[in-house]
Short mmCIF file of all heavy atoms in Angstrom, two decimals:
data_model
loop_
_atom_site.label_atom_id
_atom_site.label_comp_id
_atom_site.label_asym_id
_atom_site.label_seq_id
_atom_site.Cartn_x
_atom_site.Cartn_y
_atom_site.Cartn_z
N PHE B 71 115.28 201.95 99.99
CA PHE B 71 114.13 202.59 99.35
C PHE B 71 114.64 203.75 98.50
O PHE B 71 115.47 203.55 97.63
CB PHE B 71 113.10 202.97 100.42
CG PHE B 71 112.56 201.75 101.13
CD1 PHE B 71 113.18 201.25 102.27
CD2 PHE B 71 111.47 201.07 100.63
CE1 PHE B 71 112.71 200.11 102.90
CE2 PHE B 71 110.99 199.92 101.25
CZ PHE B 71 111.62 199.44 102.39
N LEU B 72 114.19 204.96 98.70
CA LEU B 72 114.66 206.09 97.91
C LEU B 72 116.08 206.50 98.32
O LEU B 72 116.48 206.26 99.47
CB LEU B 72 113.73 207.29 98.10
CG LEU B 72 112.28 207.15 97.63
CD1 LEU B 72 111.49 208.38 98.04
CD2 LEU B 72 112.21 206.94 96.12
N LYS B 73 116.80 207.16 97.43
CA LYS B 73 118.12 207.67 97.79
C LYS B 73 118.03 208.71 98.89
O LYS B 73 119.00 208.96 99.61
CB LYS B 73 118.84 208.23 96.56
CG LYS B 73 118.21 209.45 95.92
CD LYS B 73 119.00 209.90 94.71
CE LYS B 73 118.33 211.05 93.97
NZ LYS B 73 118.19 212.26 94.81
N GLU B 74 116.86 209.32 99.05
CA GLU B 74 116.63 210.26 100.13
C GLU B 74 116.36 209.57 101.47
O GLU B 74 116.11 210.25 102.48
CB GLU B 74 115.44 211.17 99.80
CG GLU B 74 115.67 212.09 98.61
CD GLU B 74 115.33 211.47 97.27
OE1 GLU B 74 114.96 210.26 97.23
OE2 GLU B 74 115.42 212.17 96.25
N GLN B 75 116.44 208.22 101.49
CA GLN B 75 116.18 207.44 102.69
C GLN B 75 117.36 206.52 102.99
O GLN B 75 117.27 205.30 102.85
CB GLN B 75 114.90 206.61 102.53
CG GLN B 75 113.63 207.44 102.34
CD GLN B 75 112.44 206.59 101.92
OE1 GLN B 75 112.38 206.11 100.79
NE2 GLN B 75 111.50 206.40 102.82
N PRO B 76 118.50 207.06 103.42
CA PRO B 76 119.67 206.22 103.68
C PRO B 76 119.44 205.25 104.84
O PRO B 76 118.85 205.62 105.85
CB PRO B 76 120.76 207.24 104.03
CG PRO B 76 120.01 208.45 104.50
CD PRO B 76 118.76 208.48 103.69
N ASP B 77 119.92 204.02 104.66
CA ASP B 77 119.72 202.99 105.68
C ASP B 77 120.63 203.23 106.88
O ASP B 77 121.82 203.52 106.73
CB ASP B 77 120.02 201.60 105.10
CG ASP B 77 118.85 201.05 104.30
OD1 ASP B 77 118.06 201.86 103.78
OD2 ASP B 77 118.75 199.81 104.19
N LEU B 78 120.05 203.06 108.06
CA LEU B 78 120.81 203.15 109.30
C LEU B 78 121.57 201.84 109.55
O LEU B 78 121.13 200.76 109.13
CB LEU B 78 119.85 203.44 110.46
CG LEU B 78 119.21 204.84 110.42
CD1 LEU B 78 117.93 204.86 111.24
CD2 LEU B 78 120.19 205.89 110.89
N ASN B 79 122.67 201.94 110.26
CA ASN B 79 123.52 200.77 110.52
C ASN B 79 123.24 200.25 111.93
O ASN B 79 123.84 200.70 112.91
CB ASN B 79 124.99 201.15 110.38
CG ASN B 79 125.90 199.97 110.66
OD1 ASN B 79 125.47 198.82 110.68
ND2 ASN B 79 127.18 200.26 110.90
N TRP B 80 122.36 199.28 112.02
CA TRP B 80 121.98 198.73 113.32
C TRP B 80 123.07 197.87 113.95
O TRP B 80 122.94 197.45 115.10
CB TRP B 80 120.66 197.96 113.20
CG TRP B 80 119.50 198.88 113.34
CD1 TRP B 80 119.01 199.76 112.41
CD2 TRP B 80 118.71 199.08 114.51
NE1 TRP B 80 117.96 200.48 112.92
CE2 TRP B 80 117.75 200.08 114.21
CE3 TRP B 80 118.70 198.51 115.77
CZ2 TRP B 80 116.80 200.51 115.13
CZ3 TRP B 80 117.76 198.94 116.70
CH2 TRP B 80 116.83 199.92 116.37
N ARG B 81 124.14 197.63 113.23
CA ARG B 81 125.28 196.93 113.85
C ARG B 81 126.11 197.88 114.72
O ARG B 81 126.95 197.43 115.49
CB ARG B 81 126.15 196.30 112.77
CG ARG B 81 125.46 195.18 111.99
CD ARG B 81 126.40 194.55 110.96
NE ARG B 81 125.72 193.52 110.19
CZ ARG B 81 125.57 192.25 110.58
NH1 ARG B 81 126.06 191.87 111.76
NH2 ARG B 81 124.95 191.38 109.83
N ASN B 82 125.87 199.17 114.59
CA ASN B 82 126.60 200.15 115.38
C ASN B 82 125.91 200.35 116.73
O ASN B 82 124.75 200.77 116.77
CB ASN B 82 126.65 201.48 114.62
CG ASN B 82 127.44 202.54 115.36
OD1 ASN B 82 127.05 202.99 116.42
ND2 ASN B 82 128.56 202.96 114.78
N PRO B 83 126.58 200.07 117.85
CA PRO B 83 125.90 200.15 119.15
C PRO B 83 125.44 201.55 119.51
O PRO B 83 124.42 201.72 120.20
CB PRO B 83 126.95 199.63 120.14
CG PRO B 83 128.26 199.70 119.42
CD PRO B 83 127.96 199.55 117.97
N GLU B 84 126.16 202.59 119.07
CA GLU B 84 125.73 203.95 119.37
C GLU B 84 124.43 204.29 118.64
O GLU B 84 123.55 204.95 119.19
CB GLU B 84 126.83 204.94 118.99
CG GLU B 84 128.08 204.84 119.86
CD GLU B 84 129.13 205.85 119.45
OE1 GLU B 84 128.93 206.55 118.42
OE2 GLU B 84 130.15 205.95 120.14
N LEU B 85 124.33 203.85 117.39
CA LEU B 85 123.08 204.06 116.65
C LEU B 85 121.93 203.33 117.33
O LEU B 85 120.83 203.89 117.52
CB LEU B 85 123.25 203.60 115.20
CG LEU B 85 122.07 203.69 114.22
CD1 LEU B 85 121.09 202.55 114.33
CD2 LEU B 85 121.34 205.03 114.35
N ARG B 86 122.16 202.08 117.72
CA ARG B 86 121.10 201.33 118.40
C ARG B 86 120.64 202.05 119.66
O ARG B 86 119.45 202.17 119.94
CB ARG B 86 121.58 199.91 118.76
CG ARG B 86 121.73 199.00 117.58
CD ARG B 86 121.67 197.54 118.00
NE ARG B 86 122.61 197.18 119.05
CZ ARG B 86 123.89 196.86 118.85
NH1 ARG B 86 124.38 196.88 117.62
NH2 ARG B 86 124.66 196.51 119.86
N ALA B 87 121.60 202.53 120.45
CA ALA B 87 121.26 203.22 121.69
C ALA B 87 120.44 204.48 121.38
O ALA B 87 119.47 204.79 122.10
CB ALA B 87 122.52 203.57 122.46
N ALA B 88 120.81 205.19 120.32
CA ALA B 88 120.07 206.41 119.95
C ALA B 88 118.64 206.08 119.56
O ALA B 88 117.70 206.81 119.92
CB ALA B 88 120.79 207.13 118.82
N MET B 89 118.44 204.98 118.82
CA MET B 89 117.09 204.60 118.41
C MET B 89 116.25 204.12 119.59
O MET B 89 115.04 204.36 119.65
CB MET B 89 117.16 203.55 117.31
CG MET B 89 117.77 204.06 116.01
SD MET B 89 116.87 205.49 115.31
CE MET B 89 115.59 204.65 114.39
N MET B 90 116.89 203.45 120.55
CA MET B 90 116.15 203.06 121.75
C MET B 90 115.73 204.30 122.54
O MET B 90 114.64 204.34 123.13
CB MET B 90 117.01 202.13 122.62
CG MET B 90 117.29 200.78 121.98
SD MET B 90 115.81 199.82 121.61
CE MET B 90 116.53 198.46 120.67
N GLU B 91 116.56 205.32 122.53
CA GLU B 91 116.19 206.56 123.21
C GLU B 91 115.01 207.24 122.52
O GLU B 91 114.20 207.91 123.17
CB GLU B 91 117.38 207.51 123.27
CG GLU B 91 118.40 207.12 124.33
CD GLU B 91 117.77 207.00 125.72
OE1 GLU B 91 117.13 207.98 126.16
OE2 GLU B 91 117.91 205.93 126.35
N VAL B 92 114.91 207.09 121.20
CA VAL B 92 113.74 207.62 120.49
C VAL B 92 112.47 206.94 121.01
O VAL B 92 111.48 207.61 121.33
CB VAL B 92 113.89 207.40 118.97
CG1 VAL B 92 112.57 207.67 118.26
CG2 VAL B 92 115.00 208.27 118.40
N MET B 93 112.51 205.61 121.09
CA MET B 93 111.34 204.90 121.59
C MET B 93 111.02 205.33 123.03
O MET B 93 109.86 205.55 123.39
CB MET B 93 111.57 203.39 121.52
CG MET B 93 111.78 202.86 120.10
SD MET B 93 112.06 201.08 120.03
CE MET B 93 110.40 200.46 120.27
N ARG B 94 112.08 205.47 123.83
CA ARG B 94 111.89 205.87 125.22
C ARG B 94 111.24 207.26 125.30
O ARG B 94 110.36 207.51 126.13
CB ARG B 94 113.22 205.86 125.96
CG ARG B 94 113.09 206.06 127.46
CD ARG B 94 114.47 206.09 128.13
NE ARG B 94 115.24 204.90 127.83
CZ ARG B 94 115.13 203.75 128.48
NH1 ARG B 94 114.25 203.64 129.46
NH2 ARG B 94 115.88 202.71 128.16
N PHE B 95 111.67 208.17 124.43
CA PHE B 95 111.11 209.52 124.40
C PHE B 95 109.59 209.48 124.26
O PHE B 95 108.86 210.18 124.98
CB PHE B 95 111.74 210.31 123.24
CG PHE B 95 111.13 211.66 123.00
CD1 PHE B 95 111.59 212.77 123.69
CD2 PHE B 95 110.09 211.83 122.08
CE1 PHE B 95 111.03 214.03 123.47
CE2 PHE B 95 109.53 213.09 121.85
CZ PHE B 95 110.00 214.18 122.56
N TRP B 96 109.11 208.66 123.34
CA TRP B 96 107.66 208.62 123.09
C TRP B 96 106.93 207.81 124.15
O TRP B 96 105.79 208.15 124.52
CB TRP B 96 107.39 208.08 121.68
CG TRP B 96 107.87 209.03 120.63
CD1 TRP B 96 108.96 208.92 119.82
CD2 TRP B 96 107.28 210.31 120.30
NE1 TRP B 96 109.09 210.01 119.01
CE2 TRP B 96 108.08 210.89 119.27
CE3 TRP B 96 106.17 211.01 120.77
CZ2 TRP B 96 107.78 212.12 118.71
CZ3 TRP B 96 105.87 212.25 120.20
CH2 TRP B 96 106.67 212.79 119.19
N PHE B 97 107.56 206.73 124.67
CA PHE B 97 106.93 206.02 125.78
C PHE B 97 106.78 206.96 126.98
O PHE B 97 105.74 206.95 127.66
CB PHE B 97 107.76 204.80 126.18
CG PHE B 97 107.55 203.59 125.31
CD1 PHE B 97 108.64 202.83 124.86
CD2 PHE B 97 106.27 203.17 124.95
CE1 PHE B 97 108.45 201.71 124.07
CE2 PHE B 97 106.07 202.04 124.16
CZ PHE B 97 107.17 201.32 123.72
N GLU B 98 107.80 207.74 127.27
CA GLU B 98 107.72 208.68 128.38
C GLU B 98 106.61 209.71 128.15
O GLU B 98 106.00 210.21 129.10
CB GLU B 98 109.06 209.41 128.56
CG GLU B 98 110.18 208.54 129.10
CD GLU B 98 110.01 208.21 130.58
OE1 GLU B 98 109.29 208.95 131.28
OE2 GLU B 98 110.59 207.19 131.03
N ARG B 99 106.34 210.01 126.91
CA ARG B 99 105.29 210.99 126.60
C ARG B 99 103.90 210.37 126.72
O ARG B 99 102.90 211.09 126.71
CB ARG B 99 105.51 211.51 125.18
CG ARG B 99 105.17 212.98 125.07
CD ARG B 99 105.76 213.65 123.88
NE ARG B 99 105.52 215.08 124.02
CZ ARG B 99 106.41 215.96 124.42
NH1 ARG B 99 107.63 215.55 124.70
NH2 ARG B 99 106.11 217.23 124.56
N GLY B 100 103.84 209.02 126.78
CA GLY B 100 102.57 208.37 127.04
C GLY B 100 102.02 207.52 125.91
O GLY B 100 100.89 207.01 126.03
N VAL B 101 102.76 207.35 124.81
CA VAL B 101 102.22 206.53 123.74
C VAL B 101 102.13 205.08 124.19
O VAL B 101 102.87 204.63 125.07
CB VAL B 101 103.03 206.65 122.42
CG1 VAL B 101 103.12 208.09 121.97
CG2 VAL B 101 104.39 206.01 122.55
N ASP B 102 101.23 204.34 123.57
CA ASP B 102 100.91 202.98 124.01
C ASP B 102 101.61 201.89 123.20
O ASP B 102 101.41 200.70 123.46
CB ASP B 102 99.40 202.78 123.94
CG ASP B 102 98.67 203.78 124.82
OD1 ASP B 102 98.74 203.63 126.05
OD2 ASP B 102 98.06 204.73 124.28
#
């Protein structure tokens, strides 16, 4: 998209783990 929106590398396992933790953060907060 924009140059201000660099694409994340989902082939990197550390990045994937970090993004799963983001989802976990909000699930723990109670989002549906």
Side-chain angles (χ1 to χ4, degrees):
F71 297 89
L72 297 174
K73 65 181 175 61
E74 294 87 357
Q75 297 169 288
D77 279 26
L78 293 158
N79 179 16
W80 274 76
R81 294 182 182 277
N82 182 295
E84 292 180 354
L85 178 279
R86 288 202 306 276
M89 294 302 275
M90 294 300 172
E91 284 304 306
V92 168
M93 298 180 76
R94 188 182 304 277
F95 173 87
W96 292 107
F97 279 136
E98 289 288 338
R99 217 161 188 101
V101 304
D102 301 288

